[in-house]
C-alpha cells in the first residue's frame, strides 16, 4: 500500500514558484524605480527645475559660545514643505532684498533697524513677501531705509548682542522696531545656544553622516525635493505643535515672571538706545494659535496648566507701560484677515502668510507715521505695575 501523498508536494512547489515570481516582481519594480530616477532628474532639469542649496552656508558662529548670526553676502535658497524661498544677506549679514544689495554702504544708510525672531526674519517667504520686506517697501516710498537684523531662533538677548555688534560696525539707525512674539517674551533674559556645522547650517547637536547625506541629495538632485514634497502634499497639513513649551507661553502662572524679565530687558535696551538717540517702537506679533486657541486650552488642561491667550501680550505691554515705551498691537488686523478667510499662516502653521505679513506691515507703518495710532501703554488695570 502506497504511503506517498503527491498533493502537498505539488502545493509546496506552487508556493515556492509564487515566491520566486514575487521576488522577481519586486526586483523588477526596484530596477525600474532606480532607473527612473536619472530619467526624472533629466526631465525636471529640462523643465527648468533647479536644486536647492538648503540654506547651506547661511549661518556662522557669533558672540558668546554657541551664539550665531547670518553670514554676510550669502545667496541661498530652500525647498521645504512650506515652499521654496530664497535668502540674501548684505555685507553685515542682515537679510535683505535684491534692491538692498545695490546700496554700497549698508552701515551708513539705515533709518530703521528691525529686531525679532523667525516671524520678523520671514521664515518660508522670499524677502519681498515678508513682514519686514513689505514694511521696507512702504518706507522706501518715503525715502527711508529699513534693515532686518532678525534671525530665526534668536532670543532677545541674542538680538541685543547683534545690535551692539552692528553699532560697533558703524550702524547708526534712527529708530529700532522690535517685533515681539510670545516666544521672545517667554524667553526674555535667556540666550539661545546652537551648534553651527561646518556647512553653515544650524544643528541641535553636532551634525551626523545622515545629515550630510541628506544635504548632499538636496544640493545635487532635483528629484529628492520633488518626491519629498509630493509625499508631503498627500498628508494633511501639520497641526501646530502644541508642545508643553508652547503652551507654557500662555500660562497664567508664568505671566508675572515674563513681565519682570521683559521689564529688565527693556530697561537695558531703552538705556542703550537713549545714549545713541535711537527711538524704540515695540510691536506685539501674536502667535497664529491665538486665533484658534481651543486646542491650546485643551492641551494646557491635560498638562495641568491654566492658559490665557493674552498672557504674553499683557506681560510685554505692561513692562512697556512702566517705561512709557510706545507699543503697537496689530491683532485686530490679523483677526480681520481670519474673518475674510485668508490663510493666516504658511503650511507650518506658525509663520505668517504673505497677505497677513502685508496687513501687519501696513498697520506698523501707519503707527510709525502717526503717533496718534500708537497704543501709548496705559497700564492694564488687572496687572500691577
Amino acid at each position: 500500500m502506497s504511503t506517498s501523498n503527491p498533493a502537498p508536494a505539488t502545493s509546496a512547489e506552487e508556493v515556492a514558484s509564487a515566491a520566486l515570481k514575487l521576488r522577481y516582481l519586486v526586483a523588477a519594480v526596484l530596477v525600474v524605480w532606480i532607473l527612473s530616477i536619472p530619467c526624472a532628474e533629466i526631465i525636471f532639469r529640462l523643465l527648468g527645475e533647479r536644486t536647492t542649496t538648503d540654506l547651506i552656508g547661511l549661518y556662522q558662529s557669533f558672540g558668546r559660545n554657541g551664539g550665531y548670526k547670518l553670514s554676510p553676502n550669502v545667496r541661498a535658497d530652500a525647498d521645504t514643505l512650506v515652499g521654496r524661498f530664497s535668502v540674501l544677506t548684505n555685507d553685515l549679514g542682515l537679510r535683505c532684498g535684491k534692491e538692498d544689495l545695490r546700496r554700497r554702504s549698508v552701515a551708513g544708510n539705515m533709518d530703521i533697524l528691525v529686531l525679532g525672531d523667525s516671524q520678523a526674519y520671514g521664515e518660508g517667504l522670499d524677502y519681498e513677501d515678508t513682514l519686514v520686506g513689505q514694511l521696507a517697501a512702504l518706507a522706501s516710498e518715503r525715502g527711508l531705509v529699513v534693515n532686518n537684523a532678525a534671525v530665526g531662533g534668536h532670543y532677545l538677548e541674542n538680538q541685543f548682542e547683534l545690535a551692539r555688534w552692528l553699532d560697533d560696525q558703524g550702524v547708526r539707525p534712527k529708530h529700532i522696531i522690535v517685533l515681539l512674539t510670545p516666544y521672545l517674551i517667554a524667553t526674555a533674559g535667556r540666550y539661545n545656544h546652537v551648534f553651527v556645522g561646518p556647512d553653515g547650517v544650524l544643528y541641535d547637536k553636532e551634525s551626523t553622516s545622515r545629515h550630510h547625506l541628506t544635504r548632499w541629495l538636496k544640493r545635487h538632485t532635483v528629484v529628492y525635493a520633488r518626491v519629498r514634497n509630493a509625499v508631503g502634499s498627500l498628508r494633511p497639513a501639520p497641526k501646530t505643535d502644541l508642545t508643553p513649551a508652547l503652551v507654557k507661553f500662555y500660562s497664567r502662572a508664568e505671566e508675572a515672571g515674563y513681565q519682570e524679565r521683559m521689564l529688565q530687558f527693556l530697561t537695558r535696551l531703552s538705556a542703550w538706545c537713549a545714549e545713541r538717540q535711537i527711538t524704540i517702537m515695540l510691536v506685539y506679533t501674536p502667535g497664529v494659535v491665538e486665533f484658534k486657541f481651543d486646542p491650546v486650552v485643551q492641551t494646557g488642561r491635560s498638562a495641568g496648566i491654566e492658559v490665557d491667550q493674552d498672557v504674553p501680550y499683557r506681560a510685554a505691554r505692561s513692562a512697556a507701560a512702566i517705561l512709557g515705551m510706545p507699543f503697537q498691537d496689530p491683532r485686530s488686523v490679523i483677526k480681520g484677515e481670519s474673518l475674510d478667510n485668508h490663510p493666516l499662516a504658511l503650511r507650518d502653521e506658525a509663520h505668517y502668510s504673505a497677505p497677513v505679513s502685508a496687513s501687519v506691515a501696513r498697520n506698523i507703518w501707519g503707527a510709525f507715521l502717526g503717533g496718534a495710532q500708537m497704543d501709548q501703554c496705559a497700564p492694564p488695570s488687572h496687572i500691577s505695575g
Side-chain angles (χ1 to χ4, degrees), residues 178-197:
V178 186
L179 303 187
L180 293 170
T181 62
Y183 170 84
L184 287 177
I185 295 165
T187 58
R190 294 164 53 190
Y191 186 91
N192 196 16
H193 303 265
V194 300
F195 178 80
V196 181

Side-chain angles (χ1 to χ4, degrees), residues 234-256:
L234 298 176
R235 304 170 183 167
K239 297 181 179 179
T240 303
D241 185 14
L242 296 179
T243 62
L246 184 147
V247 173
K248 193 176 179 182
F249 293 166
Y250 300 94
S251 170
R252 284 183 177 272
E254 300 291 337
E255 183 171 349

Side-chain angles (χ1 to χ4, degrees), residues 134-360:
Q134 299 192 65
L135 180 64
L138 293 170
S140 68
E141 296 174 2
R142 297 292 187 105
L144 300 179
V145 176
V146 174
N147 273 271
N148 188 4
V151 179
H154 264 195
Y155 296 164
L156 288 172
E157 291 295 339
N158 296 77
Q159 282 285 282
F160 192 20
E161 178 182 55
L162 180 56
R164 296 194 301 269
W165 177 82
L166 289 170
D167 182 68
D168 292 340
Q169 308 310 305
V171 172
R172 299 290 184 267
K174 301 177 183 69
H175 315 278
I176 284 182
I177 297 177
V178 186
L179 303 187
L180 293 170
T181 62
Y183 170 84
L184 287 177
I185 295 165
T187 58
R190 294 164 53 190
Y191 186 91
N192 196 16
H193 303 265
V194 300
F195 178 80
V196 181
D199 53 0
V201 174
L202 298 185
Y203 297 94
D204 293 331
K205 53 186 179 180
E206 292 195 24
S207 53
T208 64
S209 298
R210 181 177 63 82
H211 288 138
H212 291 301
L213 175 60
T214 300
R215 296 200 180 279
W216 187 92
L217 290 172
K218 289 179 179 180
R219 294 181 67 186
H220 295 89
T221 69
V222 175
V223 172
Y224 177 90
R226 291 298 296 265
V227 171
R228 182 206 54 203
N229 292 349
V231 173
S233 66
L234 298 176
R235 304 170 183 167
K239 297 181 179 179
T240 303
D241 185 14
L242 296 179
T243 62
L246 184 147
V247 173
K248 193 176 179 182
F249 293 166
Y250 300 94
S251 170
R252 284 183 177 272
E254 300 291 337
E255 183 171 349
Y258 294 160
Q259 177 187 332
E260 180 182 357
R261 290 189 291 275
M262 279 299 301
L263 179 59
Q264 293 172 355
F265 172 77
L266 291 177
T267 298
R268 291 188 292 115
L269 177 65
S270 180
W272 183 82
C273 287
E275 291 175 357
R276 292 156 179 78
Q277 298 183 322
I278 301 172
T279 67
I280 306 174
M281 176 181 177
L282 305 177
V283 180
Y284 181 64
T285 46
V288 175
V289 296
E290 294 177 29
F291 300 91
K292 293 181 180 178
F293 202 65
D294 285 345
V296 181
V297 174
Q298 295 168 7
T299 303
R301 186 179 296 122
S302 64
I305 301 174
E306 183 182 2
V307 299
D308 182 337
Q309 67 192 67
D310 291 330
V311 162
Y313 165 76
R314 285 197 303 261
R317 181 174 178 267
S318 183
I322 293 171
L323 298 172
M325 301 176 72
F327 193 92
Q328 180 68 7
D329 175 16
R331 288 182 298 175
S332 61
V333 172
I334 301 176
K335 186 176 181 179
E337 291 285 342
S338 177
L339 293 176
D340 291 339
N341 294 318
H342 293 161
L344 298 186
L346 302 176
R347 186 176 170 83
D348 65 359
E349 290 293 334
H351 297 98
Y352 295 165
S353 63
V356 170
S357 297
S359 295
V360 174

Side-chain angles (χ1 to χ4, degrees), residues 52-59 76-78 85 87 121 123 199-201:
T52 173
T53 60
D54 198 43
L55 304 182
I56 294 292
L58 181 59
Y59 299 98
D77 56 25
F85 65 101
V87 176
Y121 164 80
E123 184 71 30
D199 53 0
V201 174

Side-chain angles (χ1 to χ4, degrees), residues 45-99:
R45 288 177 181 267
L46 290 175
L47 292 174
E49 293 285 341
R50 66 185 192 278
T51 60
T52 173
T53 60
D54 198 43
L55 304 182
I56 294 292
L58 181 59
Y59 299 98
Q60 65 180 38
S61 297
F62 171 77
R64 304 184 199 176
N65 182 32
Y68 65 102
K69 64 180 287 291
L70 302 184
S71 299
N73 301 313
V74 169
R75 311 290 186 275
D77 56 25
D79 194 344
T80 70
L81 290 177
V82 173
R84 177 182 281 270
F85 65 101
S86 299
V87 176
L88 304 176
T89 64
N90 58 28
D91 57 4
L92 290 172
L94 305 182
R95 189 176 184 190
C96 64
K98 295 177 181 177
E99 292 295 323

